[in-house]
Amino acid sequence: MQSAEILSPESQNSHSSQNVNSRERWLSVVIGSAVAAYGLSRRSIAGITAAGIGAGLVWRGASGYCAVYDALGLTSVPESNHDTSNVSVPYGRGVRVEQTVTIGLPPEEIYTFFRNFENLPRFMSHLQSVTVLDAKRSHWVTKGPAGSDAEWDAEIINEIPNELIGWRSIDDSQVDNAGSVHFKQNPAGRGTDVKVILRYDPPGGVLGAMTAKLFGEDPAHQVKEDLRALKMLLETGEIASTKGQPNGLPHRAKLRERLAEVVR
Amino acid sequence: MKAVCWFGKTDVRVENVPDPTIINPHDAIVRVTLTAICGSDLHLYDGYIPTMMKGDILGHEFMGEIVEVGAEVKNLKVGDRVIVPFPICCGRCWFCKNDQWSLCDNTNPNAWMVEAMYGFGGAALYGYSHMYGGYAGGQAEYVRVPFADINPVKIPDGLPDEKVLFLTDIFPTGYFAAENCDIKPGDVVAVWGCGPVGLFAMKSAWMLGASRVIAIDRVPERMRLAREACNAEVVDFEEVDDVYDVLKEMTGGRGPDCCIDAVGMEAHGHTADALYDRVKQVMRIEFDRAHALRQALHCCRKGGTVSIPGVYGGFIDKIPFGAAFGKGLTLKMGQAHVQKYVRALLARIERDEIDPSFLITHRVRLDDAPAMYRTFRDKEDDCIKVVMRP
Ligand SMILES: NC(=O)c1ccc[n+]([C@@H]2O[C@H](COP(=O)([O-])OP(=O)(O)OC[C@H]3O[C@@H](n4cnc5c(N)ncnc54)[C@H](O)[C@@H]3O)[C@@H](O)[C@H]2O)c1
Ligand SMILES: [Zn+2]
Ligand SMILES: [Zn+2]
């Protein structure tokens, strides 16, 4: 199954060449400079991280090469020689995410919880709902970035009880995607490694995903946080949160905060 | 309700804020009857811990009365008197089950922030920055306590608040620091810092079988307490030429077997390395001033242990790692696993083996917090420990 995730050899060897198209290169320089300036103007960890991301974007724009794209195995320079007729997410397109978490339960319990897809919105913050249609098919509705909702039907394409579940979106879905989750028991009571691999073609193309990333919608981060939430939910019965707790911000500042959220 | 809020470097204010509510099923709400300012709070006060936000409610040493419990809290009821350990722990993850409570996996909603900085993150803490979870703290009239089925410890009637409050942090922290030394018969334990953590480390070192305890500080009132209440031999680091020479002489040329750094990232010093740290910290190139840590590493005997309860947040330069390696030292450190020790230490208090209230110098109202942060930070007015009643 790994081989399906790997790109064609040409694009793999593209370290010195370009994998970012010209419109994106231009945008990268503009956004990157802004982010770097913003980041450097703040002395916090987030600021330093932002400055780093910003600098990376400028380099990406200037050079036409993006290490992030390369690491994910994708490119926004059009390629013509791929046969894309029969897969949810054609090779070399979309976003690929792989994240693992250890959960202190036997694989059976985690598998059973996960296999009931209607449980997924309990820990996946961007999922609105999943409705199980029959043994193989389900209907997924998301809360997309910046309020852009999406929905699709998915079918299970591969399944080994207590070991793995693989699924993909069916035909003309708004967000073409495919995913799998793998459960591997560790020795000596060290729980179960739960690995999720996702590939998807986000609305707005690859740049859409990059832009979303800048606004805190980084898909790898998202999957990682969702897995963290799954671990918390299964190990403790709740997901750690401080939402709604008091603080001493004056009323006006709070209002400004809420306004900023609405505008976003 | 009233709460002590952080607004920036050396700017804390008592504000009126909404009361806390139950958010998760294992929560409880505690009406605070007594709370304290910790040396760790001073690192926030002085602006050395990143990811604080204006309006954050401070405080991680607090106790009180249960006024509300969530649906899943079966072992506590309204009216119970409890102390609440400062690390917020789930009690169910691998780390909690292995008694490494302060490394809990499941309580920090912002774990990714610590991960970005440290690789992996541990338990959330009350009132201790967003990277440590962003939970509202207990220098307030009420506080929300997550995993109340696991963390709070019931206090029997008859034990006054002042005797048990420090079970939340500094007593177990001092004990943890001493236990980390793996004290053997005949061992000499040297403790840098005669603040609350250092004083409890000294008391604990005796409990764990030390044959001598040496204390290092410069503040007269604190050194007096180390000598009189903790039976320590005291070295004033500002009065001697070189702490190393003095310690070496005191230990027959061997060096202390165990060295405890109960000072942390805001150490004072008058040698070149201390000045160098000071400049870098002011310029925000380095977060931490590690003078005491360097000295402990340098002074420790061959094969000895350096235990570090003092808090460090970021990067430190000029650590004599060659000395640590060359002498085959063992280093132990971290946020204290309070939940591991708290019941046994409560039993010691009940048996009258120790009265932790010996170091309280200031008893004030919550409204006095802004002034008291300054007094405690500047070690003015012989201040050693401040407790506040809401
Ligand atoms: N690990 C934990 O779980 C934990 C828990 C609580 C506190 N702490 C940390 O422990 C440290 C001490 O806490 P505290 O409440 O006792 O603080 P404190 O500020 O009251 O005490 C620090 C003492 O160190 C002395 N000191 C400064 N420079 C020194 C030097 N070069 N050599 C010797 N002594 C020196 C000061 O005079 C002061 O008396 C802080 O860093 C605090 O954050 C850690
Ligand atoms: Zn503390
Ligand atoms: Zn835990």
Side-chain angles (χ1 to χ4, degrees):
Chain A
M1 79 143 303
Q2 281 298 329
S3 64
E5 311 291 338
I6 292 171
L7 283 178
S8 59
E10 311 90 83
S11 62
Q12 282 227 310
N13 296 332
S14 63
H15 277 258
S16 54
S17 69
Q18 302 182 343
N19 63 358
V20 182
N21 70 33
S22 56
R23 190 173 63 116
E24 278 193 54
R25 286 176 65 178
W26 176 83
L27 263 168
S28 290
V29 175
V30 174
I31 299 174
S33 310
V35 172
Y38 165 80
L40 289 174
S41 72
R42 304 176 54 104
R43 288 215 207 96
S44 63
I45 293 301
I48 294 163
T49 314
I53 294 173
L57 278 174
V58 175
W59 160 248
R60 170 185 185 269
S63 65
Y65 165 70
C66 176
V68 178
Y69 275 18
D70 208 45
L72 279 170
L74 54 92
T75 170
S76 59
V77 178
E79 284 182 69
S80 47
N81 56 350
H82 284 142
D83 173 16
T84 60
S85 53
N86 204 18
V87 281
S88 292
V89 186
Y91 302 159
R93 273 187 51 204
V95 178
R96 180 185 193 277
V97 175
E98 179 177 328
Q99 293 288 336
T100 307
V101 73
T102 304
I103 297 179
L105 292 174
E108 306 81 71
E109 281 181 50
I110 312 168
Y111 170 87
T112 307
F113 182 85
F114 209 106
R115 179 62 181 83
N116 178 3
F117 282 173
E118 298 194 352
N119 278 328
L120 300 188
R122 291 175 62 186
F123 63 92
M124 294 175 67
S125 57
H126 280 59
L127 266 188
Q128 186 103 39
S129 67
V130 177
T131 315
V132 172
L133 303 174
D134 58 38
K136 293 275 172 216
R137 290 182 321 117
S138 47
H139 183 72
W140 302 46
V141 181
T142 71
K143 310 173 246 191
S148 63
D149 295 355
E151 48 189 293
W152 65 85
D153 283 346
E155 65 175 353
I156 291 178
I157 48 174
N158 195 358
E159 181 170 26
I160 305 174
N162 308 330
E163 270 181 43
L164 86 94
I165 310 167
W167 66 91
R168 65 164 193 190
S169 57
I170 304 172
D171 297 340
D172 324 301
S173 67
Q174 271 179 326
V175 182
D176 293 332
N177 68 90
S180 57
V181 55
H182 308 249
F183 308 91
K184 190 174 131 281
Q185 186 152 30
N186 293 317
R190 299 297 177 97
T192 300
D193 289 353
V194 179
K195 181 198 291 290
V196 164
I197 299 171
L198 280 185
R199 289 177 64 99
Y200 72 97
D201 222 358
V206 179
L207 182 67
M210 277 309 287
T211 321
K213 194 177 275 194
L214 288 177
F215 293 101
E217 307 276 1
D218 168 13
H221 179 78
Q222 202 54 59
V223 173
K224 190 171 167 189
E225 290 310 304
D226 287 350
L227 282 178
R228 198 194 304 280
L230 172 67
K231 174 185 171 72
M232 287 176 174
L233 185 61
L234 290 183
E235 287 187 352
T236 77
E238 64 181 52
I239 297 167
S241 168
T242 56
K243 280 202 188 86
Q245 74 173 6
N247 68 41
L249 263 194
H251 185 66
R252 292 242 312 266
K254 256 182 218 163
L255 215 68
R256 226 178 295 133
E257 231 183 25
R258 224 171 297 142
L259 247 160
E261 246 167 56
V262 173
V263 170
R264 201 161 65 93
Chain B
M1 65 163 184
K2 267 187 213 165
V4 179
C5 302
W6 184 94
F7 279 88
K9 195 176 169 224
T10 65
D11 182 5
V12 304
R13 305 175 201 165
V14 178
E15 294 284 332
N16 268 310
V17 305
D19 288 352
T21 50
I22 301 271
I23 293 174
N24 270 332
H26 296 97
D27 290 353
I29 305 294
V30 168
R31 183 179 65 80
V32 177
T33 55
L34 198 63
T35 175
I37 308 176
C38 177
S40 300
D41 292 327
L42 296 179
H43 307 321
L44 305 173
Y45 185 67
D46 288 333
Y48 292 127
I49 305 283
T51 70
M52 286 295 290
M53 279 163 71
K54 276 192 172 51
D56 286 350
I57 300 175
L58 296 170
H60 58 265
E61 298 182 1
F62 59 89
M63 63 176 299
E65 186 188 306
I66 302 280
V67 292
E68 194 184 346
V69 292
E72 293 297 325
V73 182
K74 313 283 187 212
N75 55 338
L76 289 177
K77 55 180 193 316
V78 171
D80 283 347
R81 258 180 95 214
V82 293
I83 64 100
V84 181
F86 79 86
I88 303 173
C89 303
C90 79
R92 284 114 169 142
C93 72
W94 189 82
F95 293 94
C96 286
K97 284 184 189 159
N98 283 279
D99 254 354
Q100 293 184 304
W101 296 81
S102 73
L103 304 178
C104 175
D105 263 341
N106 288 327
T107 55
N108 187 349
N110 305 326
W112 63 271
M113 289 188 198
V114 211
E115 277 175 11
M117 223 177 147
Y118 297 161
F120 301 94
L125 311 175
Y126 293 96
Y128 215 74
S129 84
H130 288 265
M131 121 185 164
Y132 279 110
Y135 286 89
Q139 288 168 5
E141 286 178 289
Y142 295 91
V143 59
R144 166 191 168 228
V145 173
F147 293 107
D149 59 328
I150 295 287
N151 295 302
V153 177
K154 274 195 237 182
I155 299 301
D157 290 338
L159 282 178
D161 284 5
E162 287 190 358
K163 273 196 178 182
V164 291
L165 174 63
F166 303 141
L167 287 170
T168 57
D169 180 349
I170 48 176
F171 184 14
T173 297
Y175 194 88
F176 162 76
E179 193 190 71
N180 275 342
C181 290
D182 193 16
I183 297 169
K184 300 277 187 325
D187 274 358
V188 179
V189 180
V191 181
W192 274 256
C194 299
V197 171
L199 293 170
F200 278 116
M202 295 169 208
K203 290 244 180 219
S204 305
W206 287 118
M207 290 174 191
L208 291 165
S211 79
R212 281 171 72 193
V213 174
I214 301 173
I216 301 128
D217 204 310
R218 61 166 185 173
V219 182
E221 183 55 23
R222 292 171 176 235
M223 294 193 294
R224 189 187 66 76
L225 212 54
R227 195 181 303 113
E228 291 172 9
C230 304
N231 199 18
E233 302 160 53
V234 177
V235 176
D236 182 337
F237 69 85
E238 285 196 328
E239 290 299 313
V240 302
D241 280 342
D242 191 342
V243 171
Y244 165 79
D245 289 335
V246 174
L247 291 180
K248 193 175 158 199
E249 274 316 301
M250 290 172 82
T251 54
R254 298 185 311 274
D257 305 277
C258 315
C259 293
I260 297 178
D261 168 5
V263 177
M265 60 163 85
E266 294 184 61
H268 295 275
H270 49 101
T271 54
D273 73 301
L275 190 69
Y276 170 86
D277 282 342
R278 186 89 201 111
V279 170
K280 292 190 106 177
Q281 202 172 41
V282 167
M283 295 178 71
R284 289 291 195 280
I285 297 169
E286 189 178 42
F287 282 133
D288 305 350
R289 301 200 301 262
H291 181 64
L293 176 59
R294 289 193 194 97
Q295 209 164 57
L297 291 168
H298 187 71
C299 293
C300 195
R301 78 147 161 83
K302 292 184 284 180
T305 299
V306 175
S307 160
I308 312 164
V311 165
Y312 292 89
F315 299 90
I316 328 174
D317 278 356
K318 307 278 182 289
I319 282 296
F321 213 77
F325 182 87
K327 294 190 286 181
L329 298 183
T330 299
L331 306 189
K332 294 262 200 146
M333 62 197 89
Q335 299 285 356
H337 306 303
V338 175
Q339 286 86 340
K340 176 179 174 189
Y341 306 103
V342 67
R343 287 186 171 76
L345 296 182
L346 172 60
R348 282 184 190 265
I349 297 169
E350 288 187 272
R351 291 196 301 266
D352 264 334
E353 289 172 27
I354 180 170
D355 177 356
S357 64
F358 74 95
L359 43 58
I360 300 176
T361 51
H362 289 67
R363 297 169 170 85
V364 300
R365 311 287 309 186
L366 203 60
D367 293 305
D368 302 320
M372 279 301 131
Y373 265 83
R374 179 166 296 277
T375 304
F376 179 47
R377 198 265 316 257
D378 297 339
K379 321 293 183 226
E380 276 170 1
D381 194 24
D382 290 342
C383 182
I384 295 177
K385 191 72 182 179
V386 183
V387 294
M388 304 186 290
R389 219 164 263 286

